[in-house]
Structures are given as structure tokens and as C-alpha cells.
Amino acid sequence: MLSTLREALEDARASGDLKLTTIPALVLDVPKKTAWGDLATTLAMNLSATENRDPREIAEIIAGRLRSHSEVLERIEVAPPGYINLTVKRELWLRVLAEIEAQGEQYGRSSLGLGQRVLLEFVSANPTGPLHMGHGRGAAVGGALANLLRRVGYEVSTEYYINDAGRQVRLMAASVTAVYENRPSPEDGYRGLYITDLANRLRHERQSGSLGFEPTIPDKVADWACAQLLDSIKADLQAFNLNFDRWFSEQKDLFDSGAVTQALDWLKQNGHLFEQDGALWFRSTAFGDDKDRVVRKQDGEYTYLASDIAYHRDKLDRGYDLLINIWGADHHGYIPRMQAAVQAFGHPKDRLKVILVQIVNLLRGGRRVTMSKRAGDLITLREVVEEVGADAAKFIFLTRRADSQLDFDLEVAKQQSAENPVYYVQYAHARAASLFRVAAERGVPVQRTSDVDCGVLSSPDDLELIKALAEYPALVEASAQALEPHRLTYYLQDLAAHLHAYYYKHRILPPLLERELNGHDHLKPAAQDAEQARTSETLTPALTAARLCLFRGAQTVIRNGLAVLGVSAPERM
């Protein structure tokens, strides 16, 4: 249906009925009432502002173009204030199963991005301590977003920016040195067992002769400690099943290379920097910022903004069509000054998009957890992954919009029940796999859809599940365009609910096989009621074959969706 709707918009644009400089994001929803049709779109209302027309008028134009597709659509209706309700021919729904079977892991992929190059920078935690829960949420969002954009045809590179220069690194080194020398740490220094661990490791390497420098040299200690912590960060991210295409060093790639000086010189030559009160300022108000910003202080030390400006110039010079940064929500005020820098270098403001990630509240059985054994006042990502696993952590991190706060309950994440969202979805995949194993043991083949009469899938529940499967490609595109991978977790939970409900209500294999499947089922609320509902049906070999195809399609879509999130799809649970 997406291709049909897109074709209708292309026709309306070509004829001049709609202005449409570009084809917008296309979203198809399942209406709350079946009387409203199979699918609905708010496209006309979304276009009202840019077209400067009444949404009802736009809806009529689009509906008129859609009416030429009688081979696909049975009925097209426009409803106030501009909804377009669509009823798809039943035989078209049944083709969805064949489409999923033919495309397999490619189902849900598209060429929407047209090969545009995207640089996605995320996590980028200072190498001054272990990754905490907030970094973990950013890692989950970034990894899923990279997968999502690649699914729809973007060429994505992922990058971790190492903040290994500046005051925070010197302070961390001073904290390690203080513990090493058995004296008090700096008043505003770093604390936690990891600092003690670093000091002990420094002492051990010094005693063994493998250190290679004197611990009294601050810069050497800083480089050494950063390297140790960065190795730990990389190990944590690897345990989180996350890898980066490039690790970009602030010190080596910006300061040592001269990139910071070159970027500021360019801005000065083009009138974007000025000196005042002995400091060097970026004229960011010329590009929408609320005030101008210092890039070099009176004492000659560069601000963080100076290296960030140079970093984004480097990104732009690499020829990316879109830069996406994932930052903590406390960096909200930093967005206008970085977009100002992008504009100062001659690029449009929207070349840079920033996704803000809100804090995570860690709970245990509903009670707040506030302390970490390793990092003092922070909960480390490693502690969470070791307790609940990478799959559960990723999925739960992605159950809310990135810019909304998230409650993460460790006890819920470990449950094998419907209360645990990742278990609920993974179990749906494993349930289908179990069904196929039992079918194979009993000699019941899972046939190709082309060899099956899918027309016997005639119940409302059949069509409801097929509709949910058909929705997946549109959802992937819409999620990618909105940069919102959390939409997939909502979808997968809903799809899993459809599959579990269908399994309880409808018989798929003969009774003996069902009893074999019911041996280890944590999700069954009322097995006897479910069995009574099933026995009221007449199960034929044709219906068994079609329902197995239906479950295979559902299993494929769940597996594809979990892959986008970076979560595994187990065959057994």
C-alpha cells in the first residue's frame, strides 16, 4: 500500500494538483473501528500547512488519484477533518504472506534514503570513568537508529568522539595520582573504586617495570589512564553488542593535527570571530543563537566549543549529507551554537540533527537504586548488563521516546513473563519456532505459501494478524524518517500480543501436537479456556497449512524487527 500511496502523490505532484517539493513520510494506521476500513492516513492534514489548503480538499485530491488503483483498493473514503480511509481487497492481504516469504530478512527494507551518507555520533562519553545507565540508553538508541537508517537505504557510518583533552582529563589523572601517592584526592576530583583500581594498576606496572614512564609526569598519567578507561569502555560496548566504525580522538585528531587552529582561522577570516576583553568570540547570534560564545579564553585556553566547532567542520568536510548527534538531555542548550557553527561553514542548519536522551531511573522491585559499587554515585552499564543481559537492557532502553524519562526495573527485566517486554516479544518468536519443530516431528510440513490455499484464512483474527504484518514496512520507513527507533518496540509488543492471542484462541496443529507444545508456557493465563475455544473449530489440513504459513510470516517479521533493535531472536526459551 505504501507504493500505491506514493504513486498517487507523485501523480498529484506531476499534474500540479499538489505542490509537494518532496514526498513526505507516509504512515498508514489501522483504524480503531473496522467500519472505517482497513487502513487510514492523516497525510492530508499533515500537508495542510505546506500546501496552504484545507485538509479535506487535499484528501479529496489524493483519494481521486487512489481511485485509479481499483486492482488494490476496494473502497476509498474521505472523513472529516481530512482522514483518508482505505479498504484493501482481501486477496491483496493474503499476498502479504507470500511477500514476506519471498523477501525474508529483506522484508521491511527500502531505498527511501537513496544512498545518502549519514554520520551518526553517539555515546561519546569522556574517558574519565565507566559508562553509566545514561550512556547505555544512548548506545541503544544509536545502535538501533543506525540499523534502522541502513534498512531504508541510507549509507550510515557510526562514530565515537573521545573527549581526551581538557580539564576533565587532567583532573582524572590527578585523582589517580593522588590515590597512587596515598594523599587526598582533589576537592573536585573523581571518586569510586575504579580510580583506586587504576592507581593500583599504575603501581603494579611501575613495580614490574612495564609502565614506560614516571608516574610523576601528569600528561603521561593522563594518556595512560585514558587508554585504560577507553579499553574498558570498548569492552562494555562490545558486551552490549555494539561496534563503531571510527573512534575519533579530540587530542590527536583535532589539537595535535592543528584542526582546531585551522577551523578558527577560517571563521576569523570570514568574519565570524571577534576579539573582546582579551578573549576570542564566535559570532553565533548571526545564526540564531541567543548570545555570542567564547572559543578562546583570556588565558589562551580553548573552550569545549572550539574543539566541537573543529570536529563538526571535519565531519562536514568528509562530505556527509546528514550529521546526527545523540546527546544527553543536559546538552539541550548546546544545540543552537553547534547549528550556528554548521551554518557559519556554509551549510544549512538542518544538516545537523540532535537527538536528546533523557535520564534513566533504575529501580529494583519498584524502589529506586542510587549507588554503584564501581562508580560511586553512578550505576554502570556493565552492572546492568551483567544482571539482566544485553537484550533486555537494549529493548527496555528503547521502550520510550529518547527524550522522555525512563524507569528501568531490574526485577521486571529478569522476569520470564508478559510483564517483561523483551521476554514477551522473544517468546513469540520462540513459540513459532517450537510450533515448527513439533510439526516436523509429526511429519506436518511447513509448506511454501504458493503451494497453500491461504483463502481459508477467513476469520477476523486471521486478517487482523496479517494486517499487523503488512504494517511493518511502512512503520520502518516512518520510524527512520522521524529518527525514532522506539516505535519498533511498540510495534513488536503489539504484534507479539496478536500472535499470543491467536495461539490461545485458534488451533494450528492437531490436539496431540498442541499438548506437546503446552509443556513450558509461562504466558498462558487460562489453558482450559483456551483449549475449549480451540475445540470449537474444525481444523482441516488446508487450514493447518495456511496457519503455519501465517505463523512463519509473523516469526520473520518479529525476527527482522528485533534485528533492527540489535536484539536476538531465540529459537528456544
Side-chain angles (χ1 to χ4, degrees):
M1 269 309 305
L2 271 186
S3 59
T4 301
L5 183 56
R6 189 174 287 113
E7 186 178 332
L9 287 177
E10 293 282 9
D11 291 345
R13 178 168 66 173
S15 66
D17 289 342
L18 295 176
K19 292 183 288 189
L20 288 180
T21 54
T22 59
I23 299 299
L26 303 180
V27 179
L28 292 168
D29 299 309
V30 177
K32 294 180 179 179
K33 295 183 179 180
T34 55
W36 295 343
D38 297 324
L39 299 169
T41 179
T42 59
L43 179 62
M45 289 179 275
N46 298 339
L47 291 174
S48 180
T50 55
E51 293 288 324
N52 196 27
R53 298 164 81 171
D54 182 83
R56 183 72 181 256
E57 181 183 355
I58 299 171
E60 290 290 357
I61 291 172
I62 297 172
R65 297 291 173 178
L66 287 171
R67 288 190 178 99
S68 64
H69 294 274
S70 58
E71 76 284 358
V72 175
L73 296 168
E74 189 173 290
R75 191 171 73 250
I76 302 154
E77 295 179 338
V78 173
Y83 290 101
I84 304 174
N85 297 328
L86 309 171
T87 302
V88 181
K89 289 192 172 181
R90 185 172 175 274
E91 57 267 26
L92 264 295
W93 285 122
L94 298 178
R95 291 183 196 174
V96 170
L97 298 181
E99 184 180 345
I100 296 172
E101 179 183 86
Q103 296 183 22
E105 67 175 18
Q106 299 298 313
Y107 184 69
R109 291 182 181 268
S110 75
S111 58
L112 177 73
L114 299 174
Q116 294 182 76
R117 299 179 66 226
V118 176
L119 180 59
L120 177 58
E121 182 229 321
F122 59 107
V123 184
S124 298
N126 297 342
T128 54
L131 297 179
H132 56 63
M133 286 283 285
H135 298 137
R137 190 180 187 189
V141 172
L145 184 57
N147 292 335
L148 187 59
L149 292 172
R150 287 171 181 141
R151 288 298 192 284
V152 298
Y154 289 92
E155 184 183 320
V156 181
S157 297
T158 56
E159 191 159 287
Y160 187 113
Y161 179 62
I162 309 168
N163 297 93
D164 53 358
R167 180 177 179 275
Q168 81 281 356
V169 170
R170 296 193 295 271
L171 192 58
M172 182 271 297
S175 302
V176 173
T177 302
V179 175
Y180 172 83
E181 296 177 347
N182 295 313
R183 55 182 174 79
S185 295
E187 184 177 346
D188 52 352
Y190 290 86
R191 290 169 176 80
L193 283 179
Y194 77 95
I195 293 292
T196 303
D197 290 344
L198 285 171
N200 290 336
R201 197 178 309 165
L202 185 68
R203 184 177 296 110
H204 173 76
E205 291 189 14
R206 175 69 177 82
Q207 292 171 350
S208 67
S210 61
L211 190 59
F213 63 88
E214 288 299 321
T216 55
I217 306 174
D219 288 348
K220 293 292 186 180
V221 175
D223 291 344
W224 176 87
C226 276
Q228 300 294 315
L229 288 169
L230 190 59
D231 285 344
S232 179
I233 287 171
K234 289 180 177 180
D236 287 352
L237 291 172
Q238 189 170 20
F240 205 52
N241 299 317
L242 187 64
N243 296 297
F244 285 87
D245 296 319
R246 182 176 180 181
W247 297 76
F248 191 104
S249 166
E250 179 184 12
Q251 183 64 51
K252 296 175 183 177
D253 296 318
L254 293 180
F255 283 106
D256 294 350
S257 70
V260 173
T261 303
Q262 292 166 17
L264 297 185
D265 285 347
W266 190 96
L267 289 175
K268 190 171 185 178
Q269 291 168 12
N270 286 272
H272 301 308
L273 298 183
F274 65 94
E275 294 193 29
Q276 182 177 304
D277 300 328
L280 188 63
W281 297 71
F282 172 42
R283 206 183 304 276
S284 56
T285 51
F287 302 100
D289 196 7
D290 59 347
K291 62 181 180 180
D292 295 328
R293 308 287 176 173
V294 176
V295 292
R296 192 181 64 219
K297 295 183 285 188
Q298 292 175 332
D299 60 5
E301 184 176 356
Y302 290 113
T303 64
Y304 292 126
L305 180 60
S307 53
D308 285 338
I309 286 174
Y311 180 39
H312 283 76
R313 185 195 188 200
D314 182 274
K315 289 182 179 183
L316 293 165
D317 287 348
R318 284 185 260 163
Y320 288 99
D321 300 295
L322 176 63
L323 309 179
I324 302 175
N325 295 347
I326 298 179
W327 292 344
D330 56 335
H331 287 74
H332 179 271
Y334 211 72
I335 297 174
R337 66 194 77 171
M338 290 318 305
Q339 289 182 328
V342 167
Q343 293 175 82
F345 288 122
H347 299 272
K349 175 182 177 180
D350 59 4
R351 182 66 59 87
L352 170 66
K353 294 186 181 297
V354 178
I355 298 171
L356 296 175
V357 176
Q358 270 286 0
I359 63 172
V360 181
N361 299 315
L362 191 66
L363 310 176
R364 187 181 294 280
R367 294 188 175 183
R368 185 85 172 265
V369 179
T370 58
M371 297 295 289
S372 166
K373 295 178 181 178
R374 303 304 310 166
D377 60 348
L378 295 174
I379 306 299
T380 67
L381 175 62
R382 179 177 296 184
E383 290 171 310
V384 172
V385 170
E386 286 177 350
E387 183 163 350
V388 307
D391 281 348
K394 279 185 185 177
F395 197 96
I396 293 174
F397 281 142
L398 292 164
T399 52
R400 296 288 183 273
R401 282 177 56 100
D403 59 358
S404 63
Q405 290 192 20
L406 172 70
D407 289 337
F408 187 123
D409 196 309
L410 290 164
E411 296 306 318
V412 171
K414 292 187 291 185
Q415 288 181 16
Q416 294 187 353
S417 73
E419 297 300 314
N420 181 352
V422 66
Y423 181 85
Y424 189 67
V425 174
Q426 288 180 319
Y427 192 86
H429 183 273
R431 161 161 277 160
S434 177
L435 185 72
F436 302 146
R437 285 195 300 272
V438 174
E441 290 169 5
R442 303 293 297 178
V444 179
V446 182
Q447 302 177 59
R448 293 187 60 80
T449 306
S450 57
D451 299 329
V452 171
D453 177 15
C454 289
V456 298
L457 298 173
S458 57
S459 75
D461 293 329
D462 293 319
L463 190 58
E464 186 177 11
L465 184 51
I466 292 172
K467 284 180 181 179
L469 300 179
E471 185 184 351
Y472 179 70
L475 176 86
V476 171
E477 285 198 356
S479 301
Q481 288 182 304
L483 306 181
E484 293 183 344
H486 76 278
R487 296 186 186 189
L488 273 172
T489 62
Y490 289 164
Y491 169 81
L492 289 172
Q493 290 176 84
D494 187 60
L495 178 57
H498 282 302
L499 184 141
H500 291 310
Y502 190 101
Y503 175 81
Y504 293 136
K505 186 174 180 181
H506 298 284
R507 188 175 296 288
I508 301 165
L509 297 173
L512 175 62
L513 306 185
E514 293 288 2
R515 286 197 294 274
E516 292 175 15
L517 279 173
N518 291 338
H520 182 67
D521 188 350
H522 303 286
L523 299 177
K524 182 170 299 180
Q528 291 181 345
D529 292 344
E531 184 63 21
Q532 289 176 0
R534 288 169 173 157
T535 55
S536 65
E537 288 187 308
T538 300
L539 186 67
T540 65
L543 191 53
T544 288
R547 285 179 174 173
L548 286 171
C549 287
L550 178 59
F551 263 59
R552 180 175 56 201
Q555 184 193 40
T556 297
V557 172
I558 291 171
R559 182 169 59 248
N560 290 356
L562 287 173
V564 173
L565 302 178
V567 175
S568 68
E571 297 281 318
R572 298 175 185 269
M573 293 182 71

